[in-house]
């Protein structure tokens, strides 16, 4: 059964992605960190977004019977876990206030969740449109 995601869920996913990414990036922009520290956290965010989108696609492909190599599936999981671990290690060792560490952690997780939800909605919408064309 192909069901189109509701407009409310599509909007919520995009809002979560936007708030998470923009909040994280604005936090970096306004911080007193050195440029190399800002670069580290920005790279972890971008890598994390790519990793979770890749993981969501690989998991979904497997569920739908679309061939996915085990190495790609494993790398997708590894990269997702690695980005979260890198953020935790970076924040643990950072000379930031606990509230700042919490802000970066929450905005990072919100951005990852938003990216997964946007990817899911995009795929569901495409599948729905394809099934409508066939009918």
């Amino acid at each position: 059964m192909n069901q189109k995601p509701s407009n409310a869920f599509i909007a919520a996913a995009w809002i979560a992605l936007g708030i998470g990414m923009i909040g994280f990036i604005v936090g970096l922009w306004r911080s007193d960190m050195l440029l190399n520290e800002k670069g580290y956290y920005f790279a972890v965010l971008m890598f994390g977004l790519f990793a979770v989108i890749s993981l969501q696609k690989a998991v979904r492909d497997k569920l739908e019977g679309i061939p996915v190599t085990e190495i790609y599936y494993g790398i997708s999981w590894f990269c997702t876990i690695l980005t979260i671990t890198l953020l935790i290690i970076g924040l643990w060792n950072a000379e930031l206030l606990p509230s700042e560490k919490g802000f970066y952690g929450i905005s990072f997780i919100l951005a990852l969740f938003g990216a997964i939800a946007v990817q899911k909605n995009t795929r569901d919408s495409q599948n729905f449109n394809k099934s409508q064309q066939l009918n």
Side-chain angles (χ1 to χ4, degrees):
M1 177 175 107
N2 290 322
Q3 186 174 355
K4 187 177 187 305
S6 70
N7 289 335
F9 188 60
I10 291 170
W14 279 104
I15 290 168
L17 177 60
I19 289 172
M21 280 184 63
I22 292 168
F24 193 93
I25 292 169
V26 168
L28 285 178
W29 183 270
R30 296 180 46 88
S31 75
D32 290 332
M33 289 184 221
L34 298 173
L35 191 56
N36 64 331
E37 292 175 291
K38 290 179 181 184
Y40 172 81
Y41 288 112
F42 181 74
V44 168
L45 175 65
M46 293 298 112
F47 181 39
L49 292 172
F50 178 78
V52 296
I53 290 170
S54 186
L55 177 61
Q56 196 278 342
K57 182 183 179 339
V59 168
R60 181 82 177 258
D61 284 352
K62 282 187 99 164
L63 288 173
E64 292 179 358
I66 299 170
V68 177
T69 63
E70 288 303 314
I71 189 84
Y72 184 80
Y73 185 72
I75 288 171
S76 296
W77 270 110
F78 175 76
C79 289
T80 298
I81 293 166
L82 179 62
T83 60
I84 294 167
T85 304
L86 287 172
L87 184 77
I88 290 169
I89 291 169
L91 291 176
W92 184 271
N93 292 302
E95 294 180 10
L96 299 171
L97 295 172
S99 59
E100 289 177 294
K101 292 179 181 185
F103 168 79
Y104 287 116
I106 294 298
S107 60
F108 182 78
I109 295 300
L110 181 61
L112 296 187
F113 168 78
I116 292 168
V118 166
Q119 168 64 14
K120 179 194 178 308
N121 289 340
T122 301
R123 186 145 173 183
D124 287 347
S125 294
Q126 287 176 346
N127 286 345
F128 179 78
N129 292 337
K130 284 180 187 175
S131 70
Q132 291 299 95
Q133 290 175 353
L134 296 175
N135 291 335

